[in-house]
Amino acid sequence: MTIHSMEPLIELIKVLGPAALVLYLAYLLVRSFLNKQLDEIRLQVAQKSQEVVIPVRLQAYERICLLLERISPTNLLSRINNPELNAIEYQHILINEIREEFNHNLSQQVYMSAEAWNQVQSAVEDVISLINEAGGSLEGEEKGLALAKKVIDLSMARPADSTRQALDFVKGEIQGIF
């Protein structure tokens, strides 16, 4: 090829080279702008999500705190107090009440950490175990009052209150949200 035949090619490269560079820079600027816009949209969606999720999570924690308060032995016994019942009937009513309360709040585990939910489950099982232990230590047709007294005695003899521990754990987790 001669120099004269390469002149149009050189002229074309002189024109297309800067144009390609400008086009590439424009591409980078648009991509950067769009990525920044996308990040802002993601942030807004995350903030909106938090505005919805945090109140729902707090409500779940409130319900679990209420559950734990309601099933604590002293509160449970004072709330469900029927002196006409014998100990076995009273034991069944207390355990059914705990299970109903727990089952009513099963869906709240979705909003809690696995560790918090395990604490709640453990507290529920511990209170049921306490009531069963108290019921198993009674003889014959004793009254519900004897069961209540035995539950309180056994509860006081335990080194730790599982409902209080679970409640403290849940409250700590709530504080961690903020």
Side-chain angles (χ1 to χ4, degrees):
M1 278 178 109
T2 65
I3 290 187
H4 289 298
S5 63
M6 291 194 54
E7 269 185 37
L9 184 62
I10 292 173
E11 290 300 316
L12 186 63
I13 291 173
K14 285 181 182 177
V15 171
L16 289 180
L21 183 61
V22 168
L23 185 63
Y24 180 69
L25 290 174
Y27 164 76
L28 290 177
L29 285 171
V30 167
R31 188 178 80 174
S32 173
F33 174 76
L34 290 177
N35 283 340
K36 189 175 183 180
Q37 291 294 323
L38 188 60
D39 288 344
E40 287 178 18
I41 290 170
R42 283 185 186 136
L43 181 63
Q44 289 173 354
V45 167
Q47 286 174 339
K48 290 276 186 201
S49 175
Q50 288 299 326
E51 289 173 10
V52 172
V53 171
I54 286 179
V56 172
R57 282 188 73 196
L58 285 175
Q59 185 180 27
Y61 282 108
E62 288 171 1
R63 287 183 63 180
I64 292 302
C65 288
L66 182 61
L67 163 75
L68 292 168
E69 288 289 352
R70 289 176 60 88
I71 69 164
S72 73
T74 53
N75 290 339
L76 181 66
L77 294 170
S78 65
R79 199 175 75 250
I80 302 172
N81 187 5
N82 192 338
E84 292 94 40
L85 296 176
N86 68 38
I88 294 171
E89 293 170 330
Y90 193 41
Q91 179 181 354
H92 289 298
I93 288 172
L94 292 172
I95 290 171
N96 284 338
E97 178 69 15
I98 292 168
R99 287 190 176 132
E100 284 179 22
E101 287 274 347
F102 182 70
N103 289 337
H104 182 70
N105 289 290
L106 276 174
S107 63
Q108 305 313 310
Q109 67 183 296
V110 172
Y111 303 104
M112 305 177 76
S113 72
E115 190 174 354
W117 185 249
N118 288 338
Q119 291 267 343
V120 171
Q121 283 182 303
S122 179
V124 167
E125 291 167 7
D126 190 53
V127 174
I128 290 173
S129 173
L130 177 74
I131 293 168
N132 284 333
E133 183 182 342
S137 70
L138 299 177
E139 295 180 18
E141 287 290 314
E142 293 191 58
K143 292 289 185 188
L145 186 59
L147 176 67
K149 183 180 179 333
K150 189 66 176 177
V151 167
I152 295 296
D153 289 345
L154 289 173
S155 177
M156 302 279 276
R158 289 192 172 185
D161 179 358
S162 60
T163 55
R164 180 63 42 207
Q165 287 176 331
L167 192 57
D168 290 344
F169 188 88
V170 168
K171 286 179 180 178
E173 199 163 279
I174 291 169
Q175 291 172 351
I177 293 173
F178 299 103

